[in-house]
Amino acid sequence: EIEKIGNEAVFVLSPSDLDIALYDPATLATGVVEAAFSYGQANTNVQITAVDVIDQQHPGAFSAVDFTSPLTLTSPFPATEPLNIEFDRTAVAGMAIGETSTGMVEVVWNEVGGIDTFTNTLPVTATYYPDPTLPTVFTAAVDDNLANAANWTLGLPGHPQFTGTIDIDGSYN
């Protein structure tokens, strides 16, 4: 439930932080922010007049897509309206697997017929992951005394990792 404070409509964005996952070799990925409102004292609808991504770590990498201003929300919470935020890896020269890019989603809105304009923001992060369909690679190194193959790792960066020790007799833990 959205809690009313004062006379104006209450406007919220969910989630509070947007995480966009981009998997190699893709260059585009989209995340969704849900917008919702509750009526203020005047019981008027809300309209979104702008959706932008500001303070971008890599300018031009993020953009709002499929948005036309003004977007009028006519049904209060629990109804929501999706706002699509796209990340374009081609705007980030040399972005390597495991790297991220950040920005702030900014949504400008007002009550229909009102004179005040309000702004809500939330952080957005895009992370570039390896192709999840690639086979997992096992790596290990044998120490100088051939006592064991110390600290093996099984998995891909950005995914669950499993580690342990393989003894020279072939047992492992």
Side-chain angles (χ1 to χ4, degrees):
E1 185 171 325
I2 299 175
E3 182 180 337
K4 266 189 215 181
I5 302 172
N7 295 326
E8 289 86 21
V10 176
F11 182 83
V12 295
L13 301 173
S14 179
S16 57
D17 293 10
L18 178 60
D19 294 314
I20 299 174
L22 177 69
Y23 293 93
D24 186 56
T27 57
L28 296 174
T30 303
V32 178
V33 175
E34 296 291 342
F37 80 102
S38 67
Y39 290 121
Q41 189 174 30
N43 286 328
T44 58
N45 296 326
V46 165
Q47 65 182 8
I48 299 172
T49 56
V51 179
D52 293 304
V53 182
I54 60 171
D55 299 332
Q56 295 187 41
Q57 179 182 1
H58 301 99
F62 292 97
S63 61
V65 292
D66 306 322
F67 172 76
T68 303
S69 178
L71 173 62
T72 302
L73 285 72
T74 57
S75 297
F77 183 83
T80 62
E81 183 69 35
L83 305 174
N84 298 311
I85 306 299
E86 184 176 77
F87 176 73
D88 182 352
R89 183 175 61 87
T90 63
V92 183
M95 186 174 200
I97 290 175
E99 290 186 333
T100 62
S101 185
T102 61
M104 293 293 288
V105 176
E106 179 182 70
V107 179
V108 180
W109 63 279
N110 63 281
E111 290 184 81
V112 173
I115 58 172
D116 294 327
T117 300
F118 305 94
T119 302
N120 288 49
T121 60
L122 65 89
V124 59
T125 301
T127 304
Y128 186 40
Y129 292 106
D131 182 343
T133 64
L134 292 177
T136 302
V137 177
F138 173 80
T139 59
V142 177
D143 68 16
D144 292 339
N145 298 326
L146 296 177
N148 61 51
N151 299 331
W152 57 267
T153 301
L154 181 64
L156 290 171
H159 296 279
Q161 301 284 308
F162 304 94
T163 60
T165 302
I166 299 176
D167 294 328
I168 198 66
D169 66 3
S171 64
Y172 63 92
N173 58 30

